[in-house]
Amino acid sequence: MWTVADEYDVELIVREARPVEGLTRLERVMVARGLTERAVPAEEIARIVGVTPRSVYRWRSEGFRQAA
């Protein structure tokens, strides 16, 4: 679901850079965006949000438009 995101949870995950389960797709993109801003490597972001590094690279190439 794209329309639901808990911004507090997203910020907590970005701040602690720890893996989690059960994120919505929007939350995954938001976490990836936040970690990208902190210069976290794509492979680490993928591990944290539970996607492949390819997904992270694709989100970056799309400029994270989906979550905007």
Side-chain angles (χ1 to χ4, degrees), residues 4-14 26-27 30-31:
V4 177
D6 185 327
E7 292 187 31
Y8 175 78
D9 285 348
V10 168
E11 179 56 35
L12 184 64
I13 296 164
V14 170
L26 175 59
E27 288 170 333
M30 291 172 67
V31 168

Side-chain angles (χ1 to χ4, degrees), residues 2-68:
W2 276 102
T3 60
V4 177
D6 185 327
E7 292 187 31
Y8 175 78
D9 285 348
V10 168
E11 179 56 35
L12 184 64
I13 296 164
V14 170
R15 189 171 50 245
E16 295 182 6
R18 60 182 170 86
V20 294
E21 295 180 17
L23 296 177
T24 66
R25 189 169 179 185
L26 175 59
E27 288 170 333
R28 290 177 194 270
V29 172
M30 291 172 67
V31 168
R33 177 191 292 163
L35 292 171
T36 293
E37 291 173 359
R38 292 176 179 239
V40 175
E43 292 77 13
E44 181 68 6
I45 294 171
R47 183 187 68 78
I48 291 168
V49 299
V51 299
T52 65
R54 183 175 181 210
S55 292
V56 176
Y57 290 124
R58 188 182 71 241
W59 293 339
R60 286 177 176 178
S61 71
E62 294 173 355
F64 295 101
R65 281 188 304 254
Q66 299 154 332

